[in-house]
Amino acid sequence: MVSSSHEAMHHYGQKDTAGLIRNFQRLFHVPFPEPCGFTVVNTDLTEIEPVERRVDSLVRVHTEDGDFLLVLESQGKKDERKRGSWPYYLSYLYEKYRCEPVLVVMTQSSSTARWAAEPIRFGLPGWSSLVVRPMVLGPDQVPVITDEKEAVRDPSLAVLSAITHGRGPGVAAILGPLAVALETIDPASAALLAQLVTSGLVDSQAKEIWRDLMAPVNYFFQNPVADQLRDEGRNEGRIEGRIEDRIEMIVKILELRGLQVPDSVRLRVRACTDLDQLKIWSERAVGVADPGDLFTPDQPE
């Protein structure tokens, strides 16, 4: 099971390589041949026994135009040593596999993304013998997907959006539409992507929201991460009837006031098992101008 936001970043590219390729084609307008297969490659780049070098994830992409190696690196902060190791990785991999390596750096930090995007140049001024240009996916490159239709249209991008923005409080707005989008794809893929999102989130409020959204979804309980979610706060002694009545009251109040209630709001309200929280939301439902304001972060929940 993925255990940290660092692992979630590069594992996303390993587990959903087709989605990653589509996304950097869309975000960077970089042409890439249509993939016809993928192979996860051993990440060990050690040449001499005492010196160990490993990339985070390595995926071989098979296309009609030849094979490519996606070198996936998850970067939490600036590390000047990478400006030496990244060129080494690419040169070594090309020599070993004789196919084009593509360096993809994924980060949840805008400043780290800017640093990583700087070309690495070796050689004379004005005459570089080697130039490395990482393809960087960070908060400034990946859009914030908060629209349900957009999330449903491209669940993979919505997952990348949640993971990339996982350190900021703004990620909370991504999670409702993402939960709706995952219900439109096959359960096995949805369970895997949901697990990656769980690991990629850092903001505590976002973690709580995602836990509430995922708890009642059947496919999620087929995944080992469900045990973790149960341990993090589900209320075993809830009174089902009172909770259901309160949920129906919230939705009914919003509808009677003539408000259009999006699926993401319904899903989050129905996911909640805390009667006190539902009481707060029912009180807010009387006065909010937008159903999404039920969950306004600056109001205590």
Side-chain angles (χ1 to χ4, degrees), residues 120-131:
I120 302 168
R121 304 180 188 274
F122 293 150
L124 297 171
W127 191 281
S128 299
S129 299
L130 175 66
V131 180

Side-chain angles (χ1 to χ4, degrees), residues 214-233:
M214 290 295 98
V217 184
N218 290 334
Y219 67 70
F220 206 59
F221 283 97
Q222 301 169 12
N223 192 283
V225 78
D227 293 334
Q228 173 189 344
L229 297 187
R230 292 190 189 97
D231 293 340
E232 289 181 357

Side-chain angles (χ1 to χ4, degrees), residues 77-252:
K77 61 183 179 180
K78 299 177 184 178
D79 183 353
E80 290 300 327
R81 293 174 299 178
K82 291 298 181 75
R83 306 193 76 77
S85 57
W86 285 340
Y88 169 83
Y89 295 166
L90 301 181
S91 299
Y92 176 84
L93 290 168
Y94 180 79
E95 176 64 21
K96 181 175 181 178
Y97 294 102
R98 288 295 168 176
C99 59
E100 298 293 340
V102 180
L103 176 59
V104 182
V105 179
M106 309 173 76
T107 180
Q108 295 175 318
S109 163
S110 294
S111 61
T112 301
R114 289 190 294 270
W115 164 81
E118 296 173 3
I120 302 168
R121 304 180 188 274
F122 293 150
L124 297 171
W127 191 281
S128 299
S129 299
L130 175 66
V131 180
V132 175
R133 295 182 60 200
M135 185 173 294
V136 180
L137 294 171
D140 296 335
Q141 290 75 37
V142 179
V144 176
I145 306 297
T146 58
D147 180 76
E148 283 183 19
K149 291 181 180 179
E150 188 175 0
V152 170
R153 186 164 54 248
D154 195 342
S156 180
L157 181 60
V159 169
L160 180 60
S161 179
I163 295 174
T164 305
H165 296 276
R167 288 191 177 275
V171 70
I174 302 172
L175 300 180
L178 173 57
V180 173
L182 290 184
E183 291 188 337
T184 67
I185 63 178
D186 69 277
S189 297
L192 174 61
L193 294 175
Q195 180 179 350
L196 290 171
V197 173
T198 299
S199 300
L201 297 174
V202 177
D203 179 75
S204 58
Q205 183 187 41
K207 281 180 173 290
E208 182 179 352
I209 291 171
W210 189 241
R211 182 173 63 243
D212 288 344
L213 288 171
M214 290 295 98
V217 184
N218 290 334
Y219 67 70
F220 206 59
F221 283 97
Q222 301 169 12
N223 192 283
V225 78
D227 293 334
Q228 173 189 344
L229 297 187
R230 292 190 189 97
D231 293 340
E232 289 181 357
R234 286 187 51 82
N235 181 5
E236 299 294 342
R238 68 186 184 274
I239 304 173
E240 294 288 348
R242 291 178 62 194
I243 289 175
E244 187 61 28
D245 289 344
R246 184 70 66 174
I247 288 171
E248 294 298 327
M249 180 190 301
I250 294 169
V251 176
K252 193 68 173 179

